[in-house]
């Protein structure tokens, strides 16, 4: 009887531990979209929650896209590194088209403070994308820099891939060619495309973090 009671108690403890583990995992997934826990902007962590105003006059939150893959792109249209990918090549436009075709959400974020390089009106932000053949799902105007600082966005471009569970799977550069020279587009290894390929295949992202390159994000006071 004593041995049987001990076994029963052991099973109960294991069930309690399993339950606690499952609750923790669920809490992390929920936190990614609700901001219930402090989120650090690094791969394998829940993505920091945010809400922002779009150039089209809407308000969107990361939580609106729960269950979808979300790509974040920090941009500044006057930055030579951004110009390389939008005007000399079609890196961003092609990836945005792919994201739309695959049901992903592409959020282009402008964190330039008013009066600094890259800051544009909502109307100009939409015109720029039309001129460049770009098609992000939304353009978010982050004049306060709150979203940029939450993700520690440092450069334009600076890219993040967030999976359907709200976990950051990639953070860093768009590719492995840290140059503004258009010739560097040839043969570049695109890290965002690679991450999307691997997620689609149900595989872990083989390069989850790289050093972003480009122009500094023009926050207030910088």
């Amino acid at each position: 009887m004593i041995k049987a009671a001990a076994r029963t108690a052991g099973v109960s403890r294991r069930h309690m531990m399993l339950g606690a583990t499952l609750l923790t995992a669920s809490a992390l997934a929920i936190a990614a979209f609700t901001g219930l826990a402090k989120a650090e902007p690094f791969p394998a962590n829940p993505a920091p929650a945010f809400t922002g105003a779009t150039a089209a006059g809407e308000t969107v939150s990361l939580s609106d896209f729960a269950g979808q893959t979300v790509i974040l792109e920090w941009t500044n249209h006057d930055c030579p590194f951004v110009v390389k990918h939008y005007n000399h090549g079609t890196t961003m436009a092609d990836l945005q088209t792919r994201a739309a075709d695959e049901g992903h959400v592409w959020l282009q974020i402008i964190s330039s403070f008013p009066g600094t390089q890259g800051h544009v009106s909502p109307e100009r932000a939409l015109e720029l994308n039309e001129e460049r053949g770009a098609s992000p799902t939304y353009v978010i105007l982050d004049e306060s820099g709150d979203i940029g600082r939450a993700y520690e966005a440092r450069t334009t471009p600076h890219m993040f891939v967030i999976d359907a569970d709200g976990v950051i799977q990639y953070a860093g550069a768009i590719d492995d060619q840290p140059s503004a020279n258009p010739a560097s587009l040839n043969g570049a290894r695109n890290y965002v495309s690679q991450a999307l390929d691997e997620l689609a295949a149900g595989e872990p992202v083989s390069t989850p973090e790289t050093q972003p390159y480009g122009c500094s994000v023009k926050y207030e006071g910088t």
Side-chain angles (χ1 to χ4, degrees):
M1 291 292 289
I2 293 175
K3 290 182 178 179
R7 283 198 297 274
T8 301
V11 170
S12 297
R13 282 195 296 274
R14 286 196 293 275
H15 284 173
M16 291 176 64
M17 293 176 64
L18 177 60
T21 300
L22 292 173
L23 284 172
T24 300
S26 299
L28 283 174
I30 293 170
F33 290 107
T34 63
L36 293 176
K38 179 175 174 58
E40 300 292 343
F42 308 117
N45 284 356
F50 63 83
T51 296
T54 75
E58 303 156 290
T59 299
V60 298
S61 300
L62 182 61
S63 58
D64 295 337
F65 312 114
Q68 292 179 273
T69 296
V70 178
I71 299 101
L72 306 183
E73 171 211 355
W74 263 265
T75 193
N76 163 0
H77 70 286
D78 281 332
C79 169
F81 296 88
V82 172
V83 170
K84 179 182 80 167
H85 290 293
Y86 272 108
N87 301 78
H88 297 296
T90 57
T91 312
M92 294 298 182
D94 290 347
L95 273 175
Q96 290 161 0
T97 297
R98 172 186 173 174
D101 289 345
E102 296 179 359
H104 307 324
V105 176
W106 188 291
L107 301 180
Q108 186 184 65
I109 302 175
I110 302 172
S111 293
S112 295
F113 188 71
T116 65
Q117 185 193 57
H119 179 266
V120 290
S121 67
E123 295 78 13
R124 183 57 184 149
L126 297 176
E127 288 174 356
L128 280 167
N129 281 331
E130 186 172 349
E131 293 168 4
R132 300 178 296 187
S135 55
T137 313
Y138 295 100
V139 183
I140 296 178
L141 304 178
D142 178 39
E143 292 182 348
S144 68
D146 289 346
I147 302 173
R149 289 189 175 92
Y151 278 79
E152 300 183 14
R154 301 194 297 275
T155 63
T156 52
H158 192 158
M159 309 298 298
F160 292 81
V161 177
I162 302 167
D163 70 14
D165 293 324
V167 176
I168 296 174
Q169 294 292 340
Y170 175 74
I174 181 69
D175 62 22
D176 65 347
Q177 298 294 317
S179 167
N181 186 339
S184 66
L185 292 167
N186 298 322
R189 175 187 176 192
N190 191 298
Y191 293 122
V192 173
S193 182
Q194 177 180 294
L196 293 177
D197 288 343
E198 291 169 344
L199 288 174
E203 300 171 355
V205 174
S206 57
T207 306
E209 187 170 17
T210 62
Q211 181 72 28
Y213 70 85
C215 305
S216 62
V217 177
K218 312 305 183 191
Y219 295 116
E220 181 180 12
T222 60

